[in-house]
Amino acid sequence: MVIADLLKTHFPLQNIQDVVELFRSELTRDGEPNLAILSIVLGAIENTLTVNRALPNEAECERTIEPIFPILELSTVEALHEKFVTLIKGSVDLSEFSEKFATRDIVKRISDTVWNTLTRSYYKDKAHIQSLYSYLTGCKLDCFGVALAVVVACQVMGYRDVHLALSEDHAWVIFGEHGQETAEVTWHGKGNEDKRGQPICLGVAEKSWLYLNGHPVKCSRHMEVAAMVSGINPSINATTDSLEMGSLQQELLWLLYDLGHLARYPMSLGNLGDLEEICPSPGRPPPLALFQQAIDVARRHYAGAHVYPHTYLGGYYYRQGLYSQALSCWADATQTIKRYNYTREDEEVYKEFMEINNELLPHICKMAAVGAVDGQRGFLSDPECYVNLLRLFDGICGWEEGSQTPVLHIGWAKNMIFCLSKFEAGVRGKIEVHAEGEEEEDEKDGSDTEIDSKPPSPLPPPPDITIKAPENDGPTPPPHANGGADEEKIRS
Ligand SMILES: CC1(C)CN=C(N2CCN(c3ncnc4sc(CC(F)F)cc34)CC2)S1
């Protein structure tokens, strides 16, 4: 599979704009964008800008720092591309691969080829091992990277039906004449036997967050480009990001946005919102618009089955100090997770809710109680906030109901009680709890606030509980927990 001449005209790549123009050309050309080339290019640049990067010390900061954007030659990219094509075509008997559409056997064979060329053992959560560059130069890929490599390999083999399917913490492939087949091609999490080659059965998918109840993001080739751009990791270390890499990711996401390829991809809209919060682009929609667009897309195209659009927006509001709004988003998030049964493969979203329930919420309530939260005066006397706090806890409890694995432990309960007890007694009298399907009462005089009476499963009658403020002063607030985004990072 030769590299098209059109593509070659963009090399050598010397700056961000050159890369953006290469991507624009590939995304607007006839036929499919060359996923292998684009992944190699992103991986090569990321490697130069983030891996083993010597950072200037204080003194050096005074001097101008020489430009470090790598000059990426066509020959480098061509050699790696050739290596990939040879490896893939060399590992499968071409005569068997004559059908127009992929079969489970072919997908499994290609997954085996990628799988068997990986380094025997390496740290799977390492950064910067998501691209074909990492695969071809270091034989390392993370969970997402393996799935992407399989899809890229299928493109090299000429299968236009094999596409990436993405949940909020897993990736697999769809294939067949109508894209009706599914297959695991990578592993998930720690200590879980990989299920490569197996289909994702509806029985497994329907109550599991990991498979989004059958509503994953099903990528086109252009959305597969969006996935690799979203997968860019600008981190140099735990506290510093590469300014150039972050800027390249942001530029490429706006290019994909303008071409419409983020329109069915909530998490990439969330990624772009996070980048815009750090470094706003003049003339572009604000972060809030992007986070709200992501929620809207998830509601309209994925049956509201996605959790992260709500936690993206909740984290943003939290960082902006808009705690009532953050609480409302987090309640929407738990009302979403409530539909699923918790399994041990759901750790990532469990950690999200653990941070919200056990760190962020107690911190907000503690601050509000000492009146330190001026913008949120009244938080603890606002019935809307109290309703959302109850919706949030209802969602978490609903998540546990019907699950094989418990969600809550005493730490959760203590924090829930701590937060509930911070609210003023009077606020409890201003709300009404309606169970699912209960006859709507006559229009109220507007003084009461109603809990969302449309949860998917009927609300059990509220138990008689007495709420006591804990003896101690409650949990110590988190240092800078911030709703899922990384600690304040330096961009160099
Ligand atoms: C609100 C949050 C805690 C902030 N970041 C979040 N991310 C969630 C995961 N992210 C993603 N962003 C774009 N696409 C994908 S596909 C995927 C699953 C993987 F196995 F393929 C993850 C993911 C980006 C970062 S959720």
Side-chain angles (χ1 to χ4, degrees), residues 309-343:
H310 301 293
T311 48
Y312 265 113
L313 181 53
Y316 173 75
Y317 276 135
Y318 178 83
R319 293 188 295 272
Q320 300 294 317
L322 298 171
Y323 299 128
S324 310
Q325 294 89 327
L327 177 54
S328 173
C329 293
W330 291 335
D332 292 343
T334 71
Q335 287 296 315
T336 303
I337 200 72
K338 167 179 187 177
R339 316 168 181 198
Y340 298 110
N341 287 334
Y342 176 58
T343 75

Side-chain angles (χ1 to χ4, degrees), residues 143-145 147 164-172 186-188 217 226-227 230-231 265-271 274 307-313 315 319 348 352 355 483-485:
C143 156
F144 165 79
L164 194 57
L166 301 170
S167 77
E168 295 182 313
D169 190 42
H170 192 29
W172 59 95
T186 184
W187 79 88
H188 178 260
V217 174
S230 274
Y265 196 167
M267 285 185 288
S268 59
L269 290 168
N271 290 340
D274 281 349
V307 172
Y308 282 161
H310 301 293
T311 48
Y312 265 113
L313 181 53
R319 293 188 295 272
E348 283 311 305
E352 280 305 303
E355 183 186 30

Side-chain angles (χ1 to χ4, degrees), residues 25-68:
S25 169
E26 282 298 294
L27 287 165
T28 54
R29 60 174 280 196
D30 291 343
E32 301 187 338
N34 185 321
L35 298 180
I37 294 291
L38 298 180
S39 184
I40 289 166
V41 164
L42 289 185
I45 294 169
E46 182 170 317
N47 182 66
T48 306
L49 294 179
T50 64
V51 180
N52 307 324
R53 170 102 177 258
L55 286 180
N57 58 37
E58 288 298 308
E60 285 163 340
C61 271
E62 303 311 316
R63 292 203 316 266
T64 54
I65 301 170
E66 61 285 351
I68 49 121

Side-chain angles (χ1 to χ4, degrees), residues 107 147-148 150-151 154 162-165 171-175 181-185 200:
V107 169
L148 179 69
V150 170
V151 170
C154 289
V162 181
H163 285 290
L164 194 57
W172 59 95
V173 301
I174 55 175
F175 61 98
E181 301 300 328
T182 58
E184 299 274 11
V185 291
I200 284 91

